[in-house]
Amino acid sequence: LFMKIQPLHDKVVVKPLTEKDITASGIVLPDSATQEKPMEGEVVAVGTGKRLENGTISPLTVKVGDKVLFTKYAPDEVEVDGVDYLVIEEDKILAIIQS
């Protein structure tokens, strides 16, 4: 997958995974019920790293292909070729999901 956007510094581009708005028993959950839970996504591009006060670059922990958790209000939404992506600072990512 070739990305047409390259995030800068400590930014990460994430493709959001679909939210599960229906329970196992088939009950449709309203937005208010799922609003505060962390969201999931797959990292599709990463920046070069965070610039530290001494001028050196600290590489990012997440890498392309990682599945991550982040809060709903952390990312900025962007659209590239009709596909929605999220741009997040790495320190706003809560966790990497281990498979």
Side-chain angles (χ1 to χ4, degrees), residues 1 13 33 36 42 68:
L1 172 69
V13 178
E36 297 306 318
E42 182 177 350
V68 295

Side-chain angles (χ1 to χ4, degrees), residues 1-19:
L1 172 69
F2 173 73
M3 285 300 299
K4 291 188 175 185
I5 54 175
Q6 173 62 49
L8 299 176
H9 311 294
D10 63 338
K11 306 294 189 286
V12 177
V13 178
V14 173
K15 182 171 184 174
L17 299 177
T18 57
E19 294 181 40

Side-chain angles (χ1 to χ4, degrees), residues 4 28 30 39 42 51-52 60 64-65 70 75 79 92 95:
K4 291 188 175 185
V28 177
M39 297 177 62
E42 182 177 350
R51 184 173 300 278
L52 304 177
L60 300 184
V64 172
F70 51 91
E79 184 180 317
K92 303 285 188 203

Side-chain angles (χ1 to χ4, degrees), residues 41 43 60-63 65-70 90 93-99:
V43 175
L60 300 184
T61 304
V62 298
K63 61 189 179 307
D66 282 348
K67 288 193 173 45
V68 295
L69 289 176
F70 51 91
E90 187 188 43
I93 293 175
L94 303 173
I96 298 172
I97 301 170
Q98 303 294 325
S99 55

Side-chain angles (χ1 to χ4, degrees), residues 25-58:
S25 61
I27 298 170
V28 177
L29 298 173
D31 282 345
S32 59
T34 59
Q35 206 166 28
E36 297 306 318
K37 294 195 321 193
M39 297 177 62
E40 293 182 28
E42 182 177 350
V43 175
V44 294
V46 297
T48 54
K50 184 171 189 152
R51 184 173 300 278
L52 304 177
E53 287 184 25
N54 66 7
T56 62
I57 303 288
S58 174

